[in-house]
């Protein structure tokens, strides 16, 4: 994020060299430039913002750490790009309840696409990928006062299936501990979140529950 350093203010004495153009003559126009969301660059020298934009493909909220992994960019550059994209109206920022590695409750900051952007990209219930899991999840009904909230909860179910696919089998506690913090989907309470997710998991092709464990067998 381009910020002008306080150290660049004009010298009240007119500058040590006494140039007629005054101090800062070689920086003309810097103060008049609009903030450029694409201006921040990562370690490769390429702008970070395009990769940050590409990390948001659905309604799921994402943390700086998650976006940094998806964009393959340093966290500080990603944080600046997120702030610039928020200022430009391309992303929204919100605080959500989360649980730290030590089990303590905390607040996490996440970013997500505006509801208007989601509506432009896909009508509600449209299948974004052609496999059976997405078709099943796209047909499900979810509670929520807004489409964005329902999409968050739809993505929470997708995230659980992805977790089972990559790291399963898992118990209910294992699923909630791994998936709830980054995909709380508007729920402040883990049990309420699981009450929403659990019955829908049973309707996903390939997901099975027996002997206290959940697994995904495609």
């Amino acid at each position: 994020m381009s910020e002008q350093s306080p150290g660049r203010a004009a010298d009240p004495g007119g500058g040590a060299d006494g140039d007629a153009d005054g101090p800062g003559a070689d920086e003309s126009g810097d103060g008049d430039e609009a903030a450029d969301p694409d201006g921040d660059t990562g370690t490769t020298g390429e702008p970070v913002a395009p990769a940050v934009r590409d990390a948001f493909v659905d309604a799921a909220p994402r943390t700086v750490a998650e976006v940094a992994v998806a964009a393959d960019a340093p966290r500080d550059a990603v944080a600046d790009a997120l702030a610039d994209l928020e200022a430009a109206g391309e992303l929204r920022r919100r605080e959500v309840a989360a649980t730290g590695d030590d089990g303590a409750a905390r607040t996490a900051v996440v970013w997500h696409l505006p509801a208007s952007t989601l509506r432009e990209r896909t009508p509600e219930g449209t299948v974004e990928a052609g496999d059976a899991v997405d078709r099943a999840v796209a047909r499900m009904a979810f509670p929520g006062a807004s489409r964005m909230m329902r999409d968050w909860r739809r993505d929470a179910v997708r995230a659980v299936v992805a977790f089972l696919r990559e790291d399963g089998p898992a118990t209910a506690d294992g699923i909630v501990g791994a998936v709830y913090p980054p995909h709380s989907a508007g729920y402040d309470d883990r049990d309420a979140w699981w009450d929403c997710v659990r019955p829908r998991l049973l309707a996903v092709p390939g997901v099975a529950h027996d002997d206290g464990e959940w697994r995904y067998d495609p």
Side-chain angles (χ1 to χ4, degrees):
M1 182 168 54
S2 301
E3 293 182 350
Q4 196 145 354
S5 169
R8 292 171 64 179
D11 183 352
D17 296 334
D19 293 339
D21 290 337
D26 60 343
E27 297 170 2
S28 60
D30 284 356
D32 296 329
E33 292 180 1
D36 180 5
D38 291 342
D40 294 305
T41 58
T43 55
T44 63
E46 295 296 323
V48 169
V52 171
R53 286 191 191 96
D54 290 345
F56 293 86
V57 297
D58 51 33
R62 288 165 172 80
T63 64
V64 171
E66 291 170 334
V67 177
V69 171
D72 191 22
R75 288 196 189 190
D76 55 351
V78 167
D80 287 346
L82 286 168
D84 285 345
L85 290 169
E86 179 194 2
E90 296 187 46
L91 293 175
R92 297 285 186 269
R93 176 184 182 277
R94 66 190 290 259
E95 295 183 352
V96 297
T99 303
D101 293 337
D102 58 356
R106 62 181 180 85
T107 299
V109 176
V110 296
W111 281 262
H112 60 85
L113 291 171
S116 57
T117 301
L118 291 168
R119 283 195 296 270
E120 290 170 2
R121 288 189 177 186
T122 53
E124 185 170 9
T126 296
V127 179
E128 296 176 357
D131 65 16
V133 170
D134 273 344
R135 284 197 297 272
V137 176
R139 288 194 296 263
M140 293 176 183
F142 285 82
S146 67
R147 178 179 178 246
M148 183 170 64
M149 185 67 72
R150 295 190 295 273
D151 280 343
W152 282 348
R153 291 166 181 176
R154 183 173 284 110
D155 284 329
V157 174
R158 289 192 180 105
V160 171
V161 176
F163 171 73
L164 293 175
R165 180 182 285 160
E166 296 170 9
D167 301 300
T171 64
D173 286 343
I175 292 171
V176 174
V179 183
Y180 170 76
H183 296 281
S184 59
Y187 285 105
D188 295 330
D189 180 78
R190 289 173 171 235
D191 290 338
W193 179 86
W194 184 237
D195 286 344
C196 171
V197 170
R198 182 185 183 282
R200 291 168 176 85
L201 278 180
L202 296 171
V204 175
V207 173
H209 178 234
D210 55 61
D211 295 329
E213 284 192 330
W214 294 81
R215 68 178 186 276
Y216 177 76
D217 293 323

